[in-house]
Amino acid sequence: MKLKPLVVANWKCNPTTLIEAKRLFNSAKRRLQKIKNIEVVICPPFIYLLNLKSENLNLKLGGQDCFWEEKGAFTSEISGQMLKDLGCHYVIVGHSERRRYFQETDEIINKKIKAAIATKLTPILCVGETAEEREKGETENVLKKQITLALENVSVANFQKSRLVVAYEPVWAIGSGNPCEAETAMSRGLLIRKIVAGLYSISLSRTLRILYGGSVNSKNAAGYLKEAKMQGLLVGGASLDAGEFIQIVKAAQSP
Ligand code: PGA
């Protein structure tokens, strides 16, 4: 069975009140009821998860991060088990903001990927080069290193059950209003598939989806699916406006 396209909303540290979070979620949920042939995941701040419920099979919840241990004396951390218990199906791992502001290393990301899979959450692994790395022509090596280290000792049997999502998110495109050209995104998508396929010598067509993320909006969304042949999108800023977000989802819908 072919996997449906996937659109992930990363709300990041927004909105600041539960009332607004519920309003945004319910507005997206209501409009999604009529939309088929697509999977949508909303990743709100952890604290709102308990209050956001989806009865719609096309709309799932995800965490923006998870801790690698299941439980214990780790002040403030949230485990995959806790996310699962609150109804999450997905978890974002290794977002560039976590790497940059919270010093997440490839080693930490690897532990989180393993923890997510062990809890039967589908990890959404974020990878991408900075502007400086791009200028130095290091993109290919950066992607190879991030993916190889994130998936170190992760057996294919593991993620065949939970599936795997890799989001190509060039750091320079995130929140900048300067999205990656569809043609470039396509070559990065092919490269990512090749890197993952090189680690596991099986067909990944039913296991792996590659998303594009970085200044996605309702005008450029379709290009990433149709021209760049991505299997979905990771949307930050534009997911905070339910109307705009639904336009993006519609643009990504399979025919
Ligand atoms: P953006 O964020 O859509 O606001 O650029 C994307 C992301 O960080 O996932």
Side-chain angles (χ1 to χ4, degrees):
M1 198 182 61
K2 201 168 161 260
L3 293 171
K4 289 180 193 173
L6 175 69
V7 179
V8 181
N10 177 10
W11 287 2
K12 308 191 180 183
C13 188
N14 299 290
T16 50
T17 65
L18 175 60
I19 290 184
E20 287 171 281
K22 279 187 182 167
R23 199 181 294 140
L24 180 56
F25 185 81
N26 289 332
S27 172
K29 181 164 88 169
R30 199 181 55 248
R31 295 171 208 222
L32 280 168
Q33 265 159 8
K34 294 187 208 92
I35 304 181
K36 301 264 168 342
N37 295 329
I38 193 137
E39 204 177 336
V40 177
V41 177
I42 293 184
C43 302
F46 293 135
I47 196 157
Y48 300 140
L49 280 167
L50 184 60
N51 290 280
L52 307 178
K53 293 268 171 285
S54 169
E55 309 75 31
N56 178 344
L57 285 180
N58 290 330
L59 172 62
K60 299 196 173 81
L61 284 168
Q64 295 177 12
D65 182 28
C66 71
F67 185 49
W68 61 81
E69 295 287 347
E70 189 185 317
K71 60 179 181 170
F74 305 103
T75 302
S76 100
E77 290 297 330
I78 306 289
S79 74
Q81 202 61 50
M82 295 170 185
L83 294 178
K84 191 83 194 164
D85 185 54
L86 291 187
C88 287
H89 286 82
Y90 286 82
V91 62
I92 297 173
V93 178
H95 191 279
S96 65
E97 286 150 17
R98 301 285 325 158
R99 294 180 193 254
R100 181 171 168 202
Y101 302 121
F102 304 98
Q103 289 74 47
E104 274 199 13
T105 61
D106 290 312
E107 192 192 355
I108 291 175
I109 291 161
N110 175 246
K111 288 200 220 177
K112 292 184 173 186
I113 293 272
K114 287 178 181 158
I117 290 175
T119 350
K120 299 195 174 56
L121 289 164
T122 299
I124 302 166
L125 168 66
C126 297
V127 295
E129 80 286 2
T130 62
E132 203 187 336
E133 288 163 340
R134 180 181 59 156
E135 273 150 36
K136 288 195 199 148
E138 291 172 353
T139 302
E140 188 166 340
N141 283 341
V142 168
L143 295 180
K144 207 177 258 174
K145 177 170 171 278
Q146 288 178 339
I147 294 170
T148 309
L149 294 179
L151 297 179
E152 198 167 70
N153 297 321
V154 177
S155 82
V156 77
N158 288 147
F159 71 61
Q160 261 179 330
K161 276 181 235 140
S162 69
R163 293 191 175 142
L164 175 68
V165 178
V166 179
Y168 172 56
E169 296 217 302
V171 180
W172 47 268
I174 296 177
S176 64
N178 176 27
C180 181
E181 304 250 324
E183 208 179 306
T184 311
M186 178 162 92
S187 70
R188 304 293 186 239
L190 291 172
L191 173 66
I192 290 171
R193 195 163 281 278
K194 206 168 115 198
I195 297 169
V196 182
L199 300 174
Y200 306 98
S201 49
I202 56 142
S203 159
L204 295 166
S205 58
R206 283 189 222 138
T207 307
L208 172 68
R209 276 178 289 189
I210 299 172
L211 316 184
Y212 168 75
S215 296
V216 171
N217 59 38
S218 58
K219 297 200 175 58
N220 62 28
Y224 294 113
L225 278 286
K226 297 188 176 86
E227 286 164 49
K229 308 266 180 271
M230 292 278 174
Q231 291 83 51
L233 300 163
L234 179 44
V235 188
S239 71
L240 297 172
D241 175 331
E244 173 73 359
F245 182 61
I246 297 304
Q247 290 311 314
I248 293 172
V249 172
K250 284 186 178 160
Q253 224 177 344
S254 47

